[in-house]
Amino acid sequence: MKILILSDSHGNYPLAIKALDNAGQVDQVIHLGDGADDAQLIEDVFGQKVITVAGNCDFKTSIPRDIRITIDYTKLFITHGHKYNVKMGLNQLYNKAIAEQTSIVLYGHTHIAAIETINNITFINPGSLSQNCTFTSYAVLSIISGKVSAEIVEIR
């Protein structure tokens, strides 16, 4: 399964749509918050449900702040990250991943793209699509027969 991961679009849905086009054929799109309205527009273009969590700038929404899903027998924890103080490091998010028994954590909030593995847990931050960022990016996660790979892709 090929998954497009977006975060922190902050109203820059045209770049999010460009990321969708740029990524090619994907099976799923996940938006990690701070752009819940953008996620709805992406869903309309994608033609399938976009998995979305709410970020700290997504006000007045019933969208959940955290989601746990399983894809191809791989457990993922999906969050924006602000509740876990990710700007101060991954310690709180790591502890949550252990508690949730997940092997992949998707988060945003920092606007800094990163892929990091800590004790067999992979943390993926796709970066930001915000117009205010000098480096705009998304991530692509592939899960095939339990084998996981991820990459950060810069987009302008």
Side-chain angles (χ1 to χ4, degrees), residues 62-82:
S62 61
I63 296 171
R65 302 264 174 206
D66 299 335
I67 298 173
R68 287 161 297 284
I69 63 172
T70 301
I71 296 175
D72 194 21
Y73 306 103
T74 304
K75 294 180 182 180
L76 290 82
F77 180 71
I78 303 167
T79 187
H80 182 64
H82 63 289

Side-chain angles (χ1 to χ4, degrees), residues 38-111:
D38 302 336
Q40 181 59 55
L41 294 168
I42 296 162
E43 189 171 291
D44 293 344
V45 172
F46 184 49
Q48 295 182 39
K49 175 107 176 89
V50 171
I51 297 171
T52 308
V53 292
N56 59 300
C57 294
D58 293 318
F59 307 109
K60 297 180 182 176
T61 181
S62 61
I63 296 171
R65 302 264 174 206
D66 299 335
I67 298 173
R68 287 161 297 284
I69 63 172
T70 301
I71 296 175
D72 194 21
Y73 306 103
T74 304
K75 294 180 182 180
L76 290 82
F77 180 71
I78 303 167
T79 187
H80 182 64
H82 63 289
K83 290 177 21 179
Y84 304 97
N85 298 309
V86 294
K87 287 185 178 180
M88 303 299 289
L90 296 179
N91 190 47
Q92 289 182 37
L93 195 53
Y94 174 79
N95 290 335
K96 181 66 173 174
I98 294 293
E100 296 294 334
Q101 299 179 338
T102 59
S103 58
I104 298 175
V105 177
L106 308 179
Y107 72 101
H109 188 57
T110 66
H111 292 207

Side-chain angles (χ1 to χ4, degrees), residues 1-6 18-31 46 48-51 69-72 74 76 104 106 124 138-153:
M1 176 170 279
K2 182 178 176 184
I3 305 162
L4 173 64
I5 307 165
L6 309 169
K18 186 176 179 181
L20 181 61
D21 290 340
N22 191 57
Q25 179 66 36
V26 296
D27 301 300
Q28 183 65 63
V29 176
I30 299 174
H31 194 291
F46 184 49
Q48 295 182 39
K49 175 107 176 89
V50 171
I51 297 171
I69 63 172
T70 301
I71 296 175
D72 194 21
T74 304
L76 290 82
I104 298 175
L106 308 179
I124 303 169
Y138 62 90
V140 175
L141 170 65
S142 294
I143 303 173
I144 301 169
S145 300
K147 183 177 167 122
V148 175
S149 64
E151 67 176 321
I152 302 295
V153 180

Side-chain angles (χ1 to χ4, degrees), residues 9-10 32 40 69 77 102 112 119 123 127 129 134 154:
S9 49
H10 292 282
L32 302 176
Q40 181 59 55
I69 63 172
F77 180 71
T102 59
I112 300 170
N119 295 329
F123 295 83
L129 297 174
T134 56
E154 182 177 12

